[in-house]
């Protein structure tokens, strides 16, 4: 009796521990349950007639994976679809624009020196760019100003003057698009004023960000490898103290043009580090940092679809899943009690513990729950019920043969053991195969089903046995008619 109570106390301690885990650890919900964003990205070949190779797709996925991790979005998933597409899921992210900005850029970083005798042309283009920036600032500041119409007339005149200065033909574009056109023209002409360079982002080992001394803007810090550091020192040495600038160009856009002081004329800027200043905000500096740390994309990527799933849909999915699970469990409980009487009642206890242990493991590992994952959990309950049915059928067989109740229970467990082990192991093999060979939701299904099958082995062979032995320690419950109807029992036991 004391031994049975000891095992029962240990089981209750496990149940209490599992319950505490469930209420203290947060559950990770997938995109379909929590809501969030899903982006479909298409990898484009450099030559339209070429097919994307599998290794190229893997290389793009690797870079995107690093960028997504750099964004700090928890529980995100990135998987390939077909031969040239990737699906990115960002649970909890209702504004995918930030991720789209970071993921879609190639992030090809180049350090170039200005061509000789282009100082005046560079200054002219920088003045035009400054005027365009001032127009942008003024338009933002005067957005709610009542004198907007009057000022817009002046802005229109300025835009027209800039178009003439750049040699742009008259256009039917609206004012906003004309400003964009001027900005692109200025950028392309500035980039052409720099020489090609062998120092690129591939020579980087890390990137970071920090606030500038004026505390109003941010700068991006870079650290090169040894080869990159030598290239950077040589590059800066060649233009130190001259009127030539060092251009930092990202994806064909000049993001900074810096002069190199005369003090670097002897050895250049050594130390293998540099900073990019370009009036970055904290967010834009963070995005550039993530892109540079993730590396350059080997092939261009375009975002072909952005889908946002609201949290309301996720809540509705959870509610429907819970209703389905509770309804299924209720029907199983009715079946077990109807066919197996007291043993069925005990099985319901064991299955309740089984469900609690499963949920605790999901919170502890943690497991990201999706709808297929919930389906895997519900299916594993069927496996757990099946194990109990195998045991109780063997117990009933032994009772029909005239064995005593206690001996029938022990024999029932030992005879059902091999069948339970065989059934669970074959299912576990399927789960392992699905997990390693499947992707996305299939993995979630395999993970929850596999965990459920593994715990089912423990609850069927341990919890159910402990509960049965504990209840059988009470004489009032130790009756064969609590397991089998009188008309099924041999005459000597009735």
């Amino acid at each position: 009796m004391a031994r049975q109570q000891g095992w029962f106390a240990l089981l209750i301690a496990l149940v209490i521990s599992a319950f505490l885990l469930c209420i203290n650890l947060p559950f990770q919900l997938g995109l379909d349950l929590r809501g969030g964003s899903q982006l479909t990205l298409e990898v484009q070949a450099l030559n339209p007639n070429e097919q994307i190779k599998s290794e190229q797709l893997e290389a793009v996925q690797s870079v995107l994976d690093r960028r997504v991790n750099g964004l700090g979005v928890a529980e995100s998933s990135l998987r390939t679809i077909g031969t040239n597409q990737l699906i990115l899921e960002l649970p909890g992210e209702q504004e995918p624009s930030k991720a789209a900005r970071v993921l879609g850029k190639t992030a090809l970083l180049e350090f170039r020196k200005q061509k000789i005798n282009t100082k005046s042309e560079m200054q002219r283009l920088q003045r035009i760019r400054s005027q365009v920036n001032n127009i942008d600032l003024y338009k933002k500041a005067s957005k709610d100003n009542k004198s907007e119409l009057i000022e817009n007339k002046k802005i229109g005149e300025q835009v027209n003057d800039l178009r003439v200065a750049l040699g742009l033909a008259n256009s039917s574009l609206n004012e906003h698009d004309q400003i964009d056109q001027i900005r692109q023209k200025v950028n392309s002409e500035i980039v052409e004023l720099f020489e090609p360079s062998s120092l690129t982002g591939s020579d980087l080992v890390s990137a970071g960000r920090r606030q500038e001394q004026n505390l109003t803007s941010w700068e991006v810090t870079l650290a090169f490898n040894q080869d990159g550091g030598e290239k950077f020192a040589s590059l800066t040495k060649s233009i130190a103290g001259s009127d030539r600038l060092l251009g930092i160009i990202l994806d064909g856009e000049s993001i900074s043009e810096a002069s190199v002081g005369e003090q670097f004329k002897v050895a250049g800027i050594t130390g293998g580090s540099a900073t990019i200043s370009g009036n970055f905000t904290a967010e834009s500096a963070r995005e550039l940092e993530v892109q540079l740390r993730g590396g350059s994309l080997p092939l261009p990527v375009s975002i072909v679809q952005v889908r946002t799933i609201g949290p309301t849909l996720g809540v509705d999915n959870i509610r429907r899943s819970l209703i389905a699970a509770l309804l299924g469990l209720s029907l199983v409980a009715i079946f077990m009690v109807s066919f197996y009487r007291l043993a069925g009642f005990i099985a319901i206890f064991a299955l309740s513990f089984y469900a609690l242990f499963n949920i605790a493991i999901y919170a502890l590992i943690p497991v990201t729950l999706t709808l297929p994952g919930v389906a895997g959990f519900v299916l594993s309950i069927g496996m757990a019920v099946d194990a109990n049915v195998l045991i109780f059928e063997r117990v009933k067989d032994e009772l029909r043969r005239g064995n005593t109740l206690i001996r029938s229970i022990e024999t029932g467990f030992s005879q059902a053991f091999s069948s339970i082990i065989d059934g669970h192991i074959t299912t576990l093999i399927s789960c392992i195969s699905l997990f390693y060979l499947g992707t996305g939701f299939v993995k979630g299904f395999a993970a929850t089903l596999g965990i459920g099958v593994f715990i089912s082995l423990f609850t069927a062979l341990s919890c159910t046995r402990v509960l049965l032995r504990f209840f059988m320690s009470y004489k009032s419950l130790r009756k064969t008619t609590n397991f089998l109807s009188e008309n099924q029992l041999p005459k000597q036991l009735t």
Side-chain angles (χ1 to χ4, degrees):
M1 178 74 174
R3 188 179 177 186
Q4 312 307 333
Q5 289 178 338
W7 282 111
F8 184 75
L10 179 61
L11 177 61
I12 295 301
L14 284 175
V15 171
I16 293 173
S17 300
F19 179 74
L20 291 175
L21 282 175
C22 291
I23 62 174
N24 287 308
L25 293 179
F27 289 97
Q28 293 187 1
L29 302 179
L31 183 69
D32 51 350
L33 296 180
R34 183 181 172 185
S37 301
Q38 185 185 71
L39 287 78
T40 304
L41 302 106
E42 189 172 275
V43 182
Q44 297 167 340
L46 295 176
N47 187 333
N49 297 323
E50 288 182 357
Q51 293 288 326
I52 304 294
K53 298 175 181 174
S54 59
E55 54 267 27
Q56 291 176 315
L57 194 60
E58 288 177 8
V60 170
Q61 184 179 7
S62 176
V63 173
L64 292 177
D65 206 31
R66 288 197 293 270
R67 290 189 184 182
V68 172
N69 291 333
L71 287 171
V73 180
E75 307 151 39
S76 60
S77 71
L78 181 66
R79 63 182 188 276
T80 56
I81 297 291
T83 57
N84 66 339
Q85 288 192 337
L86 298 111
I87 299 288
L88 171 65
E89 292 179 345
L90 303 169
E93 182 62 60
Q94 296 297 319
E95 294 182 0
S97 56
K98 183 174 73 174
R101 283 201 304 272
V102 174
L103 296 174
K105 289 189 176 178
T106 307
L108 175 60
L109 183 68
E110 298 170 283
F111 294 83
R112 300 185 188 180
K113 61 183 177 183
Q114 187 182 342
K115 293 177 181 173
I116 299 173
N117 298 327
T118 56
K119 179 181 177 182
S120 58
E121 181 63 10
M122 176 66 77
Q123 290 176 337
R124 184 183 76 89
L125 291 170
Q126 287 178 326
R127 276 198 303 273
I128 294 175
R129 185 175 61 186
S130 178
Q131 286 178 273
V132 173
N133 290 338
N134 288 336
I135 290 173
D136 279 341
L137 290 174
Y138 185 81
K139 286 176 77 68
K140 287 177 183 174
S142 62
K143 193 173 181 180
D144 300 324
N145 195 316
K146 293 180 181 178
S147 61
E148 183 182 2
L149 292 177
I150 298 172
E151 299 300 338
N152 269 344
K153 184 179 178 182
K154 293 180 181 177
I155 289 174
E157 291 173 356
Q158 290 182 41
V159 171
N160 190 54
D161 291 343
L162 293 176
R163 291 179 59 80
V164 172
L166 290 170
L168 292 170
N170 288 331
S171 170
S172 58
L173 297 174
N174 60 39
E175 189 175 88
H176 180 269
D177 290 339
Q178 286 185 34
I179 292 173
D180 276 347
Q181 188 185 35
I182 292 170
R183 187 181 289 108
Q184 290 171 12
K185 177 70 174 175
V186 169
N187 176 71
S188 65
E189 291 196 5
I190 286 179
V191 171
E192 287 177 5
L193 296 182
F194 290 99
E195 296 177 356
S197 170
S198 60
L199 180 59
T200 65
S202 62
D203 295 306
L204 285 177
V205 291
S206 68
R209 60 171 178 155
R210 67 186 180 200
Q211 257 186 315
E212 292 186 357
Q213 291 182 346
N214 57 19
L215 300 180
T216 58
S217 56
W218 290 71
E219 60 187 12
V220 177
T221 60
L222 308 172
F224 299 105
N225 56 25
Q226 185 177 356
D227 187 38
E230 291 173 0
K231 288 180 185 174
F232 188 67
S234 174
L235 184 64
T236 50
K237 177 185 173 183
S238 66
I239 58 173
S242 69
D243 56 5
R244 300 167 70 186
L245 301 176
L246 174 67
I248 302 174
I249 297 164
L250 180 71
D251 290 342
E253 181 181 354
S254 177
I255 56 175
S256 181
E257 300 107 29
S259 59
V260 181
E262 194 167 354
Q263 66 272 28
F264 299 108
K265 207 166 184 177
V266 176
I269 300 177
T270 57
S273 62
T275 59
I276 304 175
S277 302
N279 291 323
F280 293 110
T281 62
E283 186 178 5
S284 60
R286 171 68 174 160
E287 290 177 2
L288 180 57
E289 174 196 351
V290 168
Q291 289 170 343
L292 296 178
R293 289 175 67 180
S296 301
L297 285 168
L299 292 173
V301 168
S302 64
I303 297 171
V304 295
Q305 186 184 50
V306 176
R307 193 163 67 99
T308 302
I309 299 175
T312 306
L313 182 59
V315 171
D316 189 51
N317 283 333
I318 294 173
R319 183 178 60 80
R320 288 170 179 269
S321 300
L322 282 175
I323 291 173
L326 290 174
L327 182 62
L329 285 173
S330 301
L331 293 174
V332 167
I334 292 171
F335 170 82
M336 294 298 286
V337 172
S338 301
F339 280 82
Y340 299 103
R341 303 191 173 199
L342 180 61
F345 182 73
I346 292 171
I348 293 169
F349 267 101
L351 289 173
S352 302
F353 295 163
Y354 163 81
L356 185 61
F357 292 154
N358 258 285
I359 295 171
I361 291 292
Y362 296 162
L364 187 64
I365 289 179
V367 173
T368 301
L369 279 177
T370 60
L371 278 180
V374 173
F377 168 60
V378 174
L379 185 59
S380 70
I381 292 176
M383 293 290 294
V385 173
D386 186 54
N388 283 274
V389 167
L390 284 172
I391 294 167
F392 298 149
E393 282 297 328
R394 299 291 83 76
V395 173
K396 288 168 75 171
D397 288 343
E398 292 302 312
L399 287 174
R400 291 191 190 99
R401 292 192 182 101
N403 272 333
T404 62
L405 179 57
I406 300 301
R407 181 173 294 178
S408 297
I409 290 173
E410 294 302 325
T411 307
F413 272 98
S414 61
Q415 289 189 351
F417 180 80
S418 61
S419 301
I420 293 173
I421 290 290
D422 291 347
H424 280 65
I425 285 179
T426 51
T427 309
L428 273 176
I429 291 172
S430 303
C431 293
I432 292 169
S433 302
L434 281 175
F435 188 83
Y436 281 103
L437 300 178
T439 57
F441 290 145
V442 177
K443 279 194 170 186
F445 173 80
T448 53
L449 180 58
I451 291 170
V453 169
F454 188 76
I455 295 177
S456 169
L457 270 177
F458 169 72
T459 53
L461 300 177
S462 301
C463 294
T464 306
R465 177 176 285 193
V466 168
L467 288 170
L468 267 173
R469 284 176 172 173
F470 177 77
F471 281 103
M472 290 306 100
S473 65
Y474 293 91
K475 189 176 179 181
S476 58
L477 298 175
R478 203 164 51 238
K479 297 178 181 175
T480 52
T481 51
N482 284 336
F483 291 80
L484 205 61
S485 61
E486 287 188 9
N487 58 355
Q488 292 180 299
L489 288 169
K491 288 184 180 178
Q492 65 269 25
L493 295 180
T494 57

